[in-house]
């Protein structure tokens, strides 16, 4: 049944304008980050790693949170419009699976965004003349764990969009959450604040160092958040008039 729900979500997104956000929005922080790197090249001496900090400075706290907010608001808006929730909730399927299908769909979109961000990062470095080898293994790790942290953010945003029928307000909440993530990372609390986990997983502040607490604890925290939020959404869907 979950596979059928995932197929239905994929069909809903076919020819969706949300893909414009996927292609266009990551280009802006890549451009800004590259220009910022060039302007401070005398200070930023670590080449690829320094370029990554400049790219993720704009991506993790502003553009990716907005993209996640857009993805999730759109996925829920499809059900809010024309009372589609009435049709969805009458299906012979457990309600947590409905939320989980949307979360998996959002996580796939985040993964694609992360891969596109990684490609833009490599292209940017080559265009400005970097000659040292690309740290591809690190980039892949950053993108995968950024996806996991982004999935936590997506779970929260789906829950927000479940409660709020407006499209713009949840996106604004996601942006505010991304900015709050910067503050929590500065206080060394990025490993526990859900809106910091995406940037934390991408090692945006110190890309030359792996996460000090280890990726195992990071994965456990992310999975725990996803489980708790999915359970909360299930309870809400059972009790709330959608």
């Amino acid at each position: 049944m979950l596979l059928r729900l995932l197929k239905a979500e994929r069909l809903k997104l076919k020819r969706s304008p949300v893909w414009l956000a996927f292609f266009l929005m990551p280009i802006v922080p890549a451009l800004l980050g590259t220009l910022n790197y060039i302007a401070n090249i005398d200070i930023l001496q670590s080449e690829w790693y320094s370029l990554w900090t400049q790219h993720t400075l704009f991506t993790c706290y502003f553009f990716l949170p907005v993209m996640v907010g857009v993805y999730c608001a759109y996925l829920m808006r499809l059900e809010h419009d024309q009372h589609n929730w009435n049709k969805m909730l009458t299906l012979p399927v457990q309600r947590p699976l409905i939320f989980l299908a949307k979360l998996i769909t959002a996580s796939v979109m985040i993964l694609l965004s992360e891969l596109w961000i990684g490609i833009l990062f490599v292209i940017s470095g080559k265009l400005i003349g970097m000659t040292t080898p690309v740290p591809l293994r690190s980039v892949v790790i950053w993108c995968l764990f950024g996806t996991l942290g982004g999935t936590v953010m997506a779970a929260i945003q789906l829950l927000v969009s479940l409660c709020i029928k407006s499209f713009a307000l949840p996106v604004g909440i996601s942006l505010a959450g991304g900015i709050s993530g910067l503050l929590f990372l500065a206080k060394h609390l990025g490993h526990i604040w859900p809106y910091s986990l995406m940037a934390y997983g991408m090692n945006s502040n110190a890309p030359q160092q792996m996460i000090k607490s280890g990726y195992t604890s990071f994965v456990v925290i992310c999975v725990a958040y996803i489980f708790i939020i999915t359970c909360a959404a299930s309870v809400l869907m059972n009790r709330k008039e959608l």
Side-chain angles (χ1 to χ4, degrees):
M1 183 57 73
L2 179 59
L3 292 177
R4 292 183 180 179
L5 290 171
L6 289 171
K7 183 178 179 181
E9 295 296 335
R10 181 177 61 83
L11 291 175
K12 292 174 187 176
L13 289 173
K14 192 175 182 180
R15 298 176 183 173
S16 165
V18 78
W19 291 108
L20 290 174
F22 163 78
F23 282 110
L24 298 179
M25 289 188 68
I27 296 175
V28 179
L31 178 61
L32 292 175
T34 302
L35 293 175
N36 202 46
Y37 173 80
I38 294 172
N40 297 279
I41 197 167
D42 293 335
I43 302 173
L44 303 171
Q45 299 291 326
S46 299
E47 292 201 344
W48 289 105
Y49 295 100
S50 295
L51 181 63
W52 182 256
T53 63
Q54 300 310 300
H55 275 222
T56 54
L57 174 66
F58 296 100
T59 301
C60 290
Y61 308 112
F62 303 101
F63 288 89
L64 262 179
V66 170
M67 290 175 66
V68 172
V70 168
Y71 293 162
C72 296
Y74 186 81
L75 287 171
M76 284 299 181
R77 186 180 180 86
L78 294 172
E79 313 307 338
H80 287 311
D81 286 349
Q82 300 178 356
H83 304 287
N84 284 337
W85 275 120
N86 294 335
K87 301 175 183 177
M88 288 289 293
L89 297 180
T90 56
L91 295 174
V93 59
Q94 294 179 341
R95 295 188 178 186
L97 290 182
I98 297 175
F99 184 85
L100 188 60
K102 292 185 179 294
L103 181 58
I104 293 173
T105 301
S107 68
V108 170
M109 296 167 75
I110 294 169
L111 175 60
L112 293 175
S113 296
E114 291 277 357
L115 293 176
W116 179 223
I117 288 166
I119 291 171
L120 290 171
F121 167 69
V122 174
I123 292 174
S124 299
K126 292 296 184 180
L127 287 177
I128 61 177
M130 288 188 178
T131 56
T132 55
V134 181
L136 283 177
R137 180 178 178 275
S138 295
V139 173
V140 171
I141 291 173
W142 297 333
C143 291
L144 290 176
F145 283 93
T147 299
L148 182 57
T151 302
V152 175
M153 186 184 296
I156 296 174
Q157 287 303 129
L158 284 171
L159 184 59
V160 169
S161 295
L162 179 65
C163 300
I164 302 174
K165 294 183 179 182
S166 166
F167 184 88
L169 183 55
V171 176
I173 292 173
S174 189
L175 175 59
I179 296 172
S180 74
L182 177 60
L183 300 177
F184 274 82
L185 277 171
K187 296 292 185 180
H188 305 290
L189 296 172
H191 62 293
I192 59 173
W193 180 242
Y195 280 99
S196 298
L197 291 172
M198 180 165 57
Y200 190 75
M202 293 175 74
N203 268 14
S204 61
N205 288 353
Q208 286 172 291
Q209 302 175 8
M210 302 304 283
I211 294 176
K212 292 182 180 180
S213 60
Y215 281 112
T216 301
S217 60
F218 175 79
V219 171
V220 170
I221 290 171
C222 289
V223 171
Y225 266 122
I226 292 168
F227 176 77
I228 292 170
I229 296 167
T230 301
C231 290
S234 176
V235 171
L236 184 64
M237 291 170 71
N238 282 319
R239 295 183 178 181
K240 180 179 172 61
E241 186 69 29
L242 298 172

